[in-house]
Amino acid sequence: MAEIIQRDGTWTFDGGTLRLVPGRDKGVSLLRRTLGELTVPLAAVAGVSFEPGRKSGRLRLRLREGADPLLQAAGGHLTDGGDPYQLGVDTDRGGVAEYFVDEVRNALLLDEVPSGPTDAYLLAGPAVPLSVQAGDGTASFDGEHVRLEWNWKTEEAKAAAGTRSMPVDTIQAVEWQPSAGLENGFIRFMLKNVPATKAPPKYDPHAVVLWGFRKDPLMALIAAAVQARLPHPGDSATRGNAPRDAAAPALAKAEPPPAQGPTEDDHDALLRRLRELGELRQVGVLTEEEFTSAKQAVLRRM
């Protein structure tokens, strides 16, 4: 058994399961404290590392793609402080952290745990019911229905639609984008048999705006709890039945013509294309194979 106890939290490994308990220190993020203890099966782990530093180090647990609905819903937007799979380590505990890493790595080798994507969630996601008030409304989820209620700051046209109640089996996808700086974020629910809207979140009756001047990380827990109850993105049947953008096959399969070297404007355009491809993969328009093929074609041009 390996264990490391820090102000930031306590990680324990018994050979088959990791228990990640957030600390009670005031510096521990609200998201981690609200999420609480996590039980991570070894089969969900892709790797672990310790990064020493001058003042403090950091333990990082890397999960297999598709193992955790929280990471799936967050789409890489969690901050280091809000990531439950990172642990701050005091400089004098570096040896303990390295021992912890060795124990987990040895177990991964002995159990021959693959590092590739999973075809099912291996973690249950946040406990429900959940209710988070932020921005222009309140999002609640009881495990069966998502409920959106509006406040006095909601745009009139959006508020006129009234409170929204969406059974989880009518939801096709959920998207969470945290606020950054003064830029607003949002949580948006895409419904089956309802055409996707290009309306900004402040006008979308299926979205809650997250104000840029406030940090409201808890909406990620709503997104993760819903994500855990949606078909897994690695399910081949789900990929086959998912609605697809008519332009997606062209994006995925058309290889850009060879060029003698991109100009600065071309380079910026290619970077934008990479971001667009990443967004299409994140929302399920592109499969992993299509995304990889298209990305390699763009990188060859760069």
Side-chain angles (χ1 to χ4, degrees), residues 216-268:
D216 298 299
L218 296 188
M219 208 57 92
L221 301 184
I222 297 280
V226 173
Q227 184 71 53
R229 290 160 175 80
L230 299 181
H232 190 274
D235 184 347
S236 58
T238 300
R239 290 199 302 266
N241 294 331
R244 304 182 59 78
D245 191 311
L251 276 170
K253 299 177 182 177
E255 185 170 329
Q260 296 181 347
T263 65
E264 185 175 346
D265 289 342
D266 290 338
H267 192 270
D268 290 341

Short mmCIF file of all heavy atoms in Angstrom, two decimals, residues 216-268:
data_model
loop_
_atom_site.label_atom_id
_atom_site.label_comp_id
_atom_site.label_asym_id
_atom_site.label_seq_id
_atom_site.Cartn_x
_atom_site.Cartn_y
_atom_site.Cartn_z
N ASP A 216 -17.29 30.27 -11.92
CA ASP A 216 -18.34 29.34 -11.49
C ASP A 216 -17.99 27.92 -11.97
O ASP A 216 -18.61 27.40 -12.89
CB ASP A 216 -19.70 29.77 -12.05
CG ASP A 216 -20.12 31.15 -11.55
OD1 ASP A 216 -20.26 31.29 -10.33
OD2 ASP A 216 -20.29 32.04 -12.38
N PRO A 217 -16.99 27.30 -11.35
CA PRO A 217 -16.53 26.00 -11.85
C PRO A 217 -17.51 24.86 -11.60
O PRO A 217 -17.40 23.81 -12.24
CB PRO A 217 -15.23 25.77 -11.06
CG PRO A 217 -15.46 26.49 -9.76
CD PRO A 217 -16.25 27.71 -10.14
N LEU A 218 -18.46 25.05 -10.69
CA LEU A 218 -19.33 23.93 -10.31
C LEU A 218 -20.26 23.49 -11.43
O LEU A 218 -20.81 22.39 -11.39
CB LEU A 218 -20.13 24.27 -9.07
CG LEU A 218 -19.32 24.52 -7.79
CD1 LEU A 218 -20.24 24.65 -6.59
CD2 LEU A 218 -18.31 23.40 -7.56
N MET A 219 -20.47 24.35 -12.42
CA MET A 219 -21.33 23.95 -13.53
C MET A 219 -20.71 22.77 -14.28
O MET A 219 -21.41 22.02 -14.95
CB MET A 219 -21.55 25.13 -14.47
CG MET A 219 -22.87 25.08 -15.22
SD MET A 219 -24.36 24.99 -14.18
CE MET A 219 -24.78 26.71 -13.99
N ALA A 220 -19.40 22.58 -14.13
CA ALA A 220 -18.74 21.42 -14.75
C ALA A 220 -19.27 20.12 -14.15
O ALA A 220 -19.30 19.09 -14.83
CB ALA A 220 -17.23 21.51 -14.55
N LEU A 221 -19.68 20.15 -12.88
CA LEU A 221 -20.21 18.94 -12.24
C LEU A 221 -21.57 18.57 -12.83
O LEU A 221 -21.89 17.38 -12.99
CB LEU A 221 -20.32 19.14 -10.73
CG LEU A 221 -19.02 19.47 -10.00
CD1 LEU A 221 -19.25 19.55 -8.50
CD2 LEU A 221 -17.94 18.43 -10.32
N ILE A 222 -22.39 19.58 -13.15
CA ILE A 222 -23.66 19.31 -13.83
C ILE A 222 -23.39 18.65 -15.18
O ILE A 222 -24.01 17.63 -15.54
CB ILE A 222 -24.47 20.60 -14.03
CG1 ILE A 222 -24.85 21.24 -12.68
CG2 ILE A 222 -25.70 20.35 -14.90
CD1 ILE A 222 -26.03 20.63 -12.00
N ALA A 223 -22.45 19.23 -15.92
CA ALA A 223 -22.12 18.68 -17.24
C ALA A 223 -21.63 17.25 -17.12
O ALA A 223 -22.00 16.37 -17.92
CB ALA A 223 -21.07 19.56 -17.93
N ALA A 224 -20.79 16.97 -16.11
CA ALA A 224 -20.23 15.63 -15.96
C ALA A 224 -21.30 14.62 -15.55
O ALA A 224 -21.30 13.48 -16.02
CB ALA A 224 -19.11 15.66 -14.92
N ALA A 225 -22.21 15.02 -14.66
CA ALA A 225 -23.26 14.10 -14.21
C ALA A 225 -24.18 13.73 -15.36
O ALA A 225 -24.63 12.58 -15.47
CB ALA A 225 -24.06 14.74 -13.08
N VAL A 226 -24.47 14.69 -16.24
CA VAL A 226 -25.28 14.40 -17.42
C VAL A 226 -24.49 13.53 -18.40
O VAL A 226 -25.00 12.55 -18.94
CB VAL A 226 -25.75 15.70 -18.10
CG1 VAL A 226 -26.46 15.40 -19.41
CG2 VAL A 226 -26.68 16.47 -17.17
N GLN A 227 -23.22 13.90 -18.61
CA GLN A 227 -22.37 13.15 -19.54
C GLN A 227 -22.30 11.67 -19.16
O GLN A 227 -22.29 10.79 -20.02
CB GLN A 227 -20.96 13.75 -19.54
CG GLN A 227 -20.01 13.12 -20.55
CD GLN A 227 -20.35 13.47 -21.97
OE1 GLN A 227 -20.47 14.65 -22.30
NE2 GLN A 227 -20.50 12.48 -22.82
N ALA A 228 -22.26 11.39 -17.85
CA ALA A 228 -22.16 10.01 -17.38
C ALA A 228 -23.36 9.17 -17.77
O ALA A 228 -23.28 7.94 -17.81
CB ALA A 228 -21.98 9.99 -15.86
N ARG A 229 -24.49 9.83 -18.07
CA ARG A 229 -25.72 9.12 -18.40
C ARG A 229 -26.03 9.13 -19.90
O ARG A 229 -27.07 8.63 -20.31
CB ARG A 229 -26.88 9.71 -17.60
CG ARG A 229 -26.75 9.39 -16.11
CD ARG A 229 -27.56 10.32 -15.23
NE ARG A 229 -27.51 9.91 -13.83
CZ ARG A 229 -26.48 10.17 -13.01
NH1 ARG A 229 -25.43 10.85 -13.46
NH2 ARG A 229 -26.50 9.76 -11.75
N LEU A 230 -25.13 9.72 -20.68
CA LEU A 230 -25.27 9.71 -22.13
C LEU A 230 -24.49 8.53 -22.71
O LEU A 230 -23.59 8.01 -22.06
CB LEU A 230 -24.76 11.02 -22.72
CG LEU A 230 -25.46 12.31 -22.28
CD1 LEU A 230 -24.83 13.51 -22.97
CD2 LEU A 230 -26.95 12.24 -22.53
N PRO A 231 -24.80 8.11 -23.92
CA PRO A 231 -24.01 7.04 -24.55
C PRO A 231 -22.53 7.40 -24.59
O PRO A 231 -22.17 8.55 -24.85
CB PRO A 231 -24.61 6.94 -25.95
CG PRO A 231 -26.01 7.44 -25.80
CD PRO A 231 -25.95 8.52 -24.77
N HIS A 232 -21.70 6.43 -24.32
CA HIS A 232 -20.27 6.68 -24.30
C HIS A 232 -19.78 7.02 -25.71
O HIS A 232 -20.17 6.38 -26.68
CB HIS A 232 -19.54 5.45 -23.76
CG HIS A 232 -18.09 5.68 -23.48
ND1 HIS A 232 -17.12 5.57 -24.44
CD2 HIS A 232 -17.46 6.05 -22.34
CE1 HIS A 232 -15.94 5.84 -23.90
NE2 HIS A 232 -16.11 6.12 -22.64
N PRO A 233 -18.90 8.01 -25.84
CA PRO A 233 -18.44 8.40 -27.18
C PRO A 233 -17.64 7.31 -27.88
O PRO A 233 -17.48 7.34 -29.10
CB PRO A 233 -17.55 9.63 -26.91
CG PRO A 233 -17.19 9.54 -25.46
CD PRO A 233 -18.35 8.89 -24.79
N GLY A 234 -17.12 6.33 -27.13
CA GLY A 234 -16.38 5.25 -27.75
C GLY A 234 -17.23 4.10 -28.22
O GLY A 234 -16.73 3.13 -28.79
N ASP A 235 -18.55 4.18 -27.97
CA ASP A 235 -19.46 3.12 -28.39
C ASP A 235 -19.65 3.20 -29.90
O ASP A 235 -20.14 4.19 -30.43
CB ASP A 235 -20.80 3.30 -27.67
CG ASP A 235 -21.79 2.19 -27.98
OD1 ASP A 235 -21.54 1.41 -28.91
OD2 ASP A 235 -22.82 2.10 -27.28
N SER A 236 -19.25 2.15 -30.61
CA SER A 236 -19.33 2.18 -32.08
C SER A 236 -20.75 2.36 -32.57
O SER A 236 -21.00 3.02 -33.57
CB SER A 236 -18.74 0.88 -32.65
OG SER A 236 -19.44 -0.25 -32.15
N ALA A 237 -21.74 1.80 -31.84
CA ALA A 237 -23.13 1.97 -32.25
C ALA A 237 -23.54 3.42 -32.13
O ALA A 237 -24.26 3.96 -32.98
CB ALA A 237 -24.03 1.08 -31.40
N THR A 238 -23.05 4.08 -31.08
CA THR A 238 -23.36 5.50 -30.89
C THR A 238 -22.76 6.33 -32.02
O THR A 238 -23.41 7.21 -32.57
CB THR A 238 -22.79 5.99 -29.55
OG1 THR A 238 -23.38 5.22 -28.50
CG2 THR A 238 -23.11 7.46 -29.34
N ARG A 239 -21.50 6.02 -32.37
CA ARG A 239 -20.87 6.79 -33.45
C ARG A 239 -21.60 6.59 -34.77
O ARG A 239 -21.77 7.51 -35.55
CB ARG A 239 -19.41 6.35 -33.61
CG ARG A 239 -18.51 6.77 -32.47
CD ARG A 239 -17.06 6.71 -32.90
NE ARG A 239 -16.69 5.39 -33.36
CZ ARG A 239 -16.13 4.47 -32.60
NH1 ARG A 239 -15.91 4.72 -31.32
NH2 ARG A 239 -15.80 3.29 -33.10
N GLY A 240 -22.10 5.35 -34.97
CA GLY A 240 -22.78 5.09 -36.23
C GLY A 240 -24.11 5.78 -36.34
O GLY A 240 -24.54 6.16 -37.42
N ASN A 241 -24.78 6.03 -35.19
CA ASN A 241 -26.10 6.64 -35.23
C ASN A 241 -26.07 8.13 -34.98
O ASN A 241 -27.08 8.80 -35.11
CB ASN A 241 -26.99 6.00 -34.15
CG ASN A 241 -27.27 4.54 -34.46
OD1 ASN A 241 -27.29 4.15 -35.61
ND2 ASN A 241 -27.46 3.73 -33.42
N ALA A 242 -24.91 8.66 -34.62
CA ALA A 242 -24.84 10.07 -34.28
C ALA A 242 -25.04 10.91 -35.53
O ALA A 242 -24.53 10.59 -36.61
CB ALA A 242 -23.48 10.39 -33.66
N PRO A 243 -25.80 12.04 -35.40
CA PRO A 243 -25.95 12.92 -36.54
C PRO A 243 -24.60 13.52 -36.91
O PRO A 243 -23.81 13.85 -36.04
CB PRO A 243 -26.92 14.00 -36.03
CG PRO A 243 -26.79 13.97 -34.56
CD PRO A 243 -26.48 12.54 -34.21
N ARG A 244 -24.33 13.67 -38.17
CA ARG A 244 -23.04 14.14 -38.59
C ARG A 244 -23.20 15.36 -39.49
O ARG A 244 -24.13 15.48 -40.26
CB ARG A 244 -22.28 13.03 -39.33
CG ARG A 244 -22.13 11.78 -38.50
CD ARG A 244 -21.34 10.73 -39.22
NE ARG A 244 -20.01 11.20 -39.58
CZ ARG A 244 -18.99 11.28 -38.72
NH1 ARG A 244 -19.18 10.95 -37.46
NH2 ARG A 244 -17.82 11.71 -39.11
N ASP A 245 -22.25 16.25 -39.37
CA ASP A 245 -22.20 17.42 -40.20
C ASP A 245 -21.87 16.97 -41.63
O ASP A 245 -20.99 16.16 -41.85
CB ASP A 245 -21.10 18.37 -39.68
CG ASP A 245 -21.16 19.72 -40.35
OD1 ASP A 245 -21.24 19.76 -41.58
OD2 ASP A 245 -21.14 20.72 -39.62
N ALA A 246 -22.58 17.51 -42.61
CA ALA A 246 -22.36 17.10 -43.99
C ALA A 246 -20.94 17.39 -44.43
O ALA A 246 -20.40 16.74 -45.32
CB ALA A 246 -23.34 17.82 -44.91
N ALA A 247 -20.30 18.38 -43.80
CA ALA A 247 -18.94 18.73 -44.21
C ALA A 247 -17.90 17.86 -43.53
O ALA A 247 -16.72 17.91 -43.90
CB ALA A 247 -18.65 20.20 -43.87
N ALA A 248 -18.29 17.07 -42.54
CA ALA A 248 -17.32 16.31 -41.75
C ALA A 248 -16.51 15.34 -42.60
O ALA A 248 -15.29 15.29 -42.46
CB ALA A 248 -18.02 15.58 -40.62
N PRO A 249 -17.15 14.52 -43.48
CA PRO A 249 -16.33 13.60 -44.26
C PRO A 249 -15.29 14.33 -45.11
O PRO A 249 -14.18 13.86 -45.27
CB PRO A 249 -17.36 12.88 -45.14
CG PRO A 249 -18.65 12.99 -44.38
CD PRO A 249 -18.59 14.33 -43.73
N ALA A 250 -15.66 15.48 -45.64
CA ALA A 250 -14.71 16.23 -46.44
C ALA A 250 -13.56 16.73 -45.59
O ALA A 250 -12.40 16.70 -45.99
CB ALA A 250 -15.41 17.41 -47.13
N LEU A 251 -13.88 17.19 -44.36
CA LEU A 251 -12.85 17.65 -43.46
C LEU A 251 -11.90 16.52 -43.11
O LEU A 251 -10.69 16.71 -43.01
CB LEU A 251 -13.46 18.19 -42.16
CG LEU A 251 -13.93 19.64 -42.18
CD1 LEU A 251 -14.72 19.93 -40.93
CD2 LEU A 251 -12.74 20.58 -42.29
N ALA A 252 -12.49 15.32 -42.89
CA ALA A 252 -11.69 14.21 -42.40
C ALA A 252 -10.86 13.56 -43.49
O ALA A 252 -9.75 13.11 -43.26
CB ALA A 252 -12.61 13.17 -41.78
N LYS A 253 -11.41 13.48 -44.72
CA LYS A 253 -10.76 12.66 -45.73
C LYS A 253 -10.01 13.46 -46.78
O LYS A 253 -9.12 12.95 -47.43
CB LYS A 253 -11.81 11.78 -46.41
CG LYS A 253 -12.50 10.83 -45.43
CD LYS A 253 -13.58 10.03 -46.11
CE LYS A 253 -14.31 9.11 -45.14
NZ LYS A 253 -15.40 8.36 -45.77
N ALA A 254 -10.42 14.71 -46.98
CA ALA A 254 -9.77 15.49 -48.03
C ALA A 254 -8.41 15.95 -47.54
O ALA A 254 -8.31 16.64 -46.54
CB ALA A 254 -10.64 16.70 -48.39
N GLU A 255 -7.38 15.57 -48.23
CA GLU A 255 -6.03 15.97 -47.86
C GLU A 255 -5.67 17.24 -48.59
O GLU A 255 -5.85 17.35 -49.80
CB GLU A 255 -5.05 14.87 -48.19
CG GLU A 255 -3.64 15.17 -47.73
CD GLU A 255 -2.76 13.95 -47.87
OE1 GLU A 255 -3.28 12.84 -47.74
OE2 GLU A 255 -1.56 14.13 -48.15
N PRO A 256 -5.19 18.25 -47.86
CA PRO A 256 -4.85 19.51 -48.51
C PRO A 256 -3.79 19.29 -49.58
O PRO A 256 -2.90 18.45 -49.44
CB PRO A 256 -4.29 20.36 -47.35
CG PRO A 256 -4.84 19.74 -46.11
CD PRO A 256 -4.96 18.29 -46.42
N PRO A 257 -3.89 20.01 -50.70
CA PRO A 257 -2.90 19.86 -51.77
C PRO A 257 -1.53 20.30 -51.30
O PRO A 257 -1.41 21.16 -50.43
CB PRO A 257 -3.43 20.79 -52.87
CG PRO A 257 -4.27 21.79 -52.15
CD PRO A 257 -4.88 21.04 -51.01
N PRO A 258 -0.47 19.71 -51.82
CA PRO A 258 0.87 20.09 -51.40
C PRO A 258 1.16 21.55 -51.73
O PRO A 258 0.70 22.08 -52.74
CB PRO A 258 1.78 19.15 -52.21
CG PRO A 258 0.95 18.72 -53.38
CD PRO A 258 -0.44 18.68 -52.89
N ALA A 259 1.91 22.17 -50.86
CA ALA A 259 2.26 23.58 -51.05
C ALA A 259 3.76 23.73 -50.93
O ALA A 259 4.44 22.91 -50.34
CB ALA A 259 1.55 24.45 -50.01
N GLN A 260 4.28 24.84 -51.46
CA GLN A 260 5.71 25.06 -51.42
C GLN A 260 6.15 25.64 -50.10
O GLN A 260 7.32 25.89 -49.90
CB GLN A 260 6.12 26.00 -52.57
CG GLN A 260 5.85 25.39 -53.95
CD GLN A 260 6.28 26.33 -55.03
OE1 GLN A 260 6.54 27.50 -54.78
NE2 GLN A 260 6.34 25.83 -56.25
N GLY A 261 5.24 25.81 -49.18
CA GLY A 261 5.57 26.39 -47.88
C GLY A 261 4.54 27.43 -47.52
O GLY A 261 4.31 28.37 -48.28
N PRO A 262 3.88 27.29 -46.38
CA PRO A 262 2.81 28.20 -46.01
C PRO A 262 3.32 29.59 -45.67
O PRO A 262 4.38 29.74 -45.08
CB PRO A 262 2.18 27.52 -44.78
CG PRO A 262 3.30 26.69 -44.21
CD PRO A 262 4.10 26.25 -45.37
N THR A 263 2.57 30.60 -46.06
CA THR A 263 2.86 31.96 -45.64
C THR A 263 2.37 32.13 -44.22
O THR A 263 1.76 31.25 -43.63
CB THR A 263 2.14 32.96 -46.55
OG1 THR A 263 0.72 32.79 -46.37
CG2 THR A 263 2.49 32.74 -48.01
N GLU A 264 2.63 33.32 -43.63
CA GLU A 264 2.18 33.57 -42.26
C GLU A 264 0.67 33.48 -42.16
O GLU A 264 0.13 32.93 -41.21
CB GLU A 264 2.67 34.94 -41.81
CG GLU A 264 2.35 35.24 -40.34
CD GLU A 264 2.95 36.55 -39.88
OE1 GLU A 264 3.82 37.09 -40.58
OE2 GLU A 264 2.56 37.01 -38.80
N ASP A 265 -0.04 34.03 -43.20
CA ASP A 265 -1.50 33.95 -43.18
C ASP A 265 -1.96 32.50 -43.29
O ASP A 265 -2.90 32.08 -42.63
CB ASP A 265 -2.08 34.77 -44.34
CG ASP A 265 -1.93 36.27 -44.10
OD1 ASP A 265 -1.71 36.65 -42.93
OD2 ASP A 265 -2.04 37.02 -45.08
N ASP A 266 -1.27 31.71 -44.15
CA ASP A 266 -1.61 30.29 -44.28
C ASP A 266 -1.42 29.59 -42.94
O ASP A 266 -2.21 28.73 -42.56
CB ASP A 266 -0.73 29.63 -45.34
CG ASP A 266 -1.09 30.10 -46.75
OD1 ASP A 266 -2.24 30.57 -46.92
OD2 ASP A 266 -0.24 30.00 -47.64
N HIS A 267 -0.33 29.93 -42.26
CA HIS A 267 -0.04 29.27 -40.97
C HIS A 267 -1.15 29.54 -39.97
O HIS A 267 -1.60 28.62 -39.26
CB HIS A 267 1.31 29.77 -40.45
CG HIS A 267 1.84 28.98 -39.30
ND1 HIS A 267 1.55 29.28 -38.00
CD2 HIS A 267 2.61 27.86 -39.27
CE1 HIS A 267 2.13 28.41 -37.20
NE2 HIS A 267 2.79 27.54 -37.94
N ASP A 268 -1.61 30.78 -39.90
CA ASP A 268 -2.71 31.11 -38.98
C ASP A 268 -3.98 30.35 -39.36
O ASP A 268 -4.71 29.87 -38.49
CB ASP A 268 -2.99 32.62 -39.01
CG ASP A 268 -1.86 33.41 -38.36
OD1 ASP A 268 -1.08 32.81 -37.61
OD2 ASP A 268 -1.77 34.63 -38.62
#
